Each structure stands twice: as C-alpha cells, then as structure tokens.
Amino acid sequence: MAVSSNNRSVTALEGARERMVQTQLLDRGVNDPRVIHAMRKVPRHLFVEPALVNRAYDDDPLPIGAKQTISQPYIVGYMLQALALKGTERVLEIGTGSAYQTALLAELCANVFSVEKLRRLAVQGRAVLDELRYYNVAIHVGDGTLGWSEHAPYDAIVVAAGAPRVPEPLAQQLAGGGRLIIPIGDQTSQVLKLASRTPSGLEETSLGECRFVKLLGKYGWPG
Ligand code: SAH
C-alpha cells in the first residue's frame, strides 16, 4: 500500500539522518548540542531534488541546479558550531541555495535574513521553509556581497560561497562582538575564515581548508 511504503521510506530517511549525525558530525567533532539538535530535526531530504532524495544524507555536496550545490552536511555543521549561536541573534546568510542551512539557522537564532542571487533558488527555498513553518526567515533576491543594509547590524554573518576577500559591506554590517564566517581563497580551494568584530577592527582566524562554489558580485568574483 502507498501509505505504508511511504511510511517505510520516511523511516529509512530518518535512520539515514541519524547516521549522518553520528558518523559525519559527532564522530568528527561537531558536538554543540544546539547544532546537533537542529541537524537531527531538519529534514535535509526536502531540500534536494526529488531524484536525489536517497542521497540526501550522504557525506557529500549535491547539485541543486544552476551549477550550485547544497553543501556537505559536515561543513554546514562545522560552520554553525563556529558561529556559537545562543538563540537570540539576528543572522545574515549569504547564498540561500537550497535553504537547508537557512532552516538550521532558523532553529538556532531569532531571525534569519538570507540573500540569494538566483531568483529560482530563492523561490524554491521559500516554499520549503514555509512548508516547514520557518516564519522567522526573510529572503532577499540580490547581490549578497552588498549585505542587506536595511536590517543591519547582524550578530553573525555566514557566507556559503567562496570569495576573494571579505566584502567590505559585510564587515560594516557586523555588530560589535559579532562573528562572520566566510570561505576566502581562489576559485578551486579556500580557507574558512572566522572574523570577529573588535573595537580595533576585524580579528581573523583560519579554520581550515574548504571548497565552495564562487561568490559572485560586486565584492566577490566577476561573472
Ligand atoms: N548553504 C547553501 C549553499 C548553496 S551554494 C546550501 O547548502 O544549499 C552557494 C549559493 O550562493 C548559490 O545558491 C549561489 O547562487 C549563491 N550566490 C553566489 N553568489 C552570490 C551573491 N553575490 N549573493 C547571493 N547569493 C550568491
């Protein structure tokens, strides 16, 4: 019967999600209880193309169309852990993409402001977030290297695409004491940078190598 086979596949996906949490996150040091709780809860399979549902909990990025990818679960967990959100923050996300990380942010902070360059992805992402009732998310279609000045300053900013340098508007829109996480480097490999805003300017730490799609735009890569 359709209903029982559907239930079975939902159970299988939940099992795959739990294995993802154990082997890709906890076993590799992503153990912040709030991040783990969110990643146990958010159904990643709703953010991938129907044909890829059975690979939704694999240890890989997956294509989401328009040459873009949903990031590997580990890197998403790692970045969210580095942001150390408490639940009260206003967070700016650049590169909504599938909106999977957007949903996790919606679980982890008070308000999410997400900017996506491609309208099609923004519209699709909004639909899934609405289905899951994440109403504390605002999405804007535009060039995220300009930030979203209307709602600034932000307690945290997370950039999900690789940039040649920290876009100046993002540095300006970060609140005092706020954290910015962004992959910086060339177009094939980057270093994940965590920058904190101190009275004397941005203080940067390197968190290791990573590989993201390009951040395009005025303060990103041309194209
Ligand atoms: N966190 C997302 C990552 C998607 S890939 C996920 O896991 O699904 C990065 C996204 O950044 C792509 O959707 C791409 O269209 C978007 N992007 C690239 N340059 C951008 C820019 N200047 N402003 C906003 N979004 C941008």
Side-chain angles (χ1 to χ4, degrees):
M1 260 167 57
V3 171
S4 68
S5 73
N6 193 35
N7 283 347
R8 252 202 314 278
S9 59
V10 168
T11 311
L13 289 166
E14 282 170 354
R17 183 155 74 246
E18 185 50 39
R19 281 193 297 284
M20 171 195 86
V21 167
Q22 188 59 54
T23 61
Q24 299 173 39
L25 303 173
L26 291 168
D27 290 354
R28 293 184 197 159
V30 176
N31 52 17
D32 175 295
R34 298 187 74 242
V35 172
I36 292 299
H37 178 263
M39 292 189 78
R40 275 208 166 103
K41 180 170 172 190
V42 175
R44 182 173 161 94
H45 60 272
L46 297 185
F47 295 87
V48 303
E49 291 173 2
L52 297 175
V53 161
N54 289 331
R55 294 177 54 198
Y57 297 100
D58 288 3
D59 192 11
D60 294 308
L62 294 171
I64 54 173
K67 294 191 190 157
Q68 306 304 323
T69 53
I70 177 172
S71 306
Q72 181 193 20
Y74 171 73
I75 192 76
V76 175
Y78 185 87
M79 295 204 310
L80 292 174
Q81 175 161 281
L83 287 180
L85 299 168
K86 302 275 181 276
T88 53
E89 299 86 352
R90 294 152 44 77
V91 178
L92 175 67
E93 175 187 52
I94 308 302
T96 317
S98 65
Y100 172 61
Q101 178 176 271
T102 320
L104 293 166
L105 285 168
E107 289 280 345
L108 291 167
C109 71
N111 295 96
V112 188
F113 301 89
S114 188
V115 184
E116 171 55 52
K117 191 175 157 56
L118 301 175
R119 179 170 299 277
R120 182 171 73 75
L121 292 177
V123 169
Q124 265 175 28
R126 173 89 266 166
V128 185
L129 294 171
D130 284 349
E131 188 186 330
L132 294 172
R133 301 184 187 189
Y134 287 118
Y135 299 132
N136 57 341
V137 177
I139 299 183
H140 168 67
V141 177
D143 178 3
T145 69
L146 303 173
W148 192 350
S149 58
E150 197 184 336
H151 301 288
Y154 302 97
D155 303 304
I157 301 179
V158 54
V159 183
R165 66 195 72 81
V166 176
E168 187 50 36
L170 299 186
Q172 281 167 8
Q173 291 173 28
L174 190 62
R179 290 169 160 234
L180 162 71
I181 192 158
I182 180 168
I184 301 283
D186 65 27
Q187 304 183 24
T188 51
S189 116
Q190 305 102 30
V191 172
L192 197 59
K193 298 267 186 190
L194 176 66
S196 306
R197 181 150 198 160
T198 69
S200 53
L202 283 190
E203 221 167 64
E204 287 186 21
T205 334
S206 293
L207 299 179
E209 282 196 21
C210 58
R211 188 171 178 177
F212 280 82
V213 299
K214 282 192 281 186
L215 181 73
L216 304 172
K218 184 163 179 202
Y219 296 88
W221 297 102

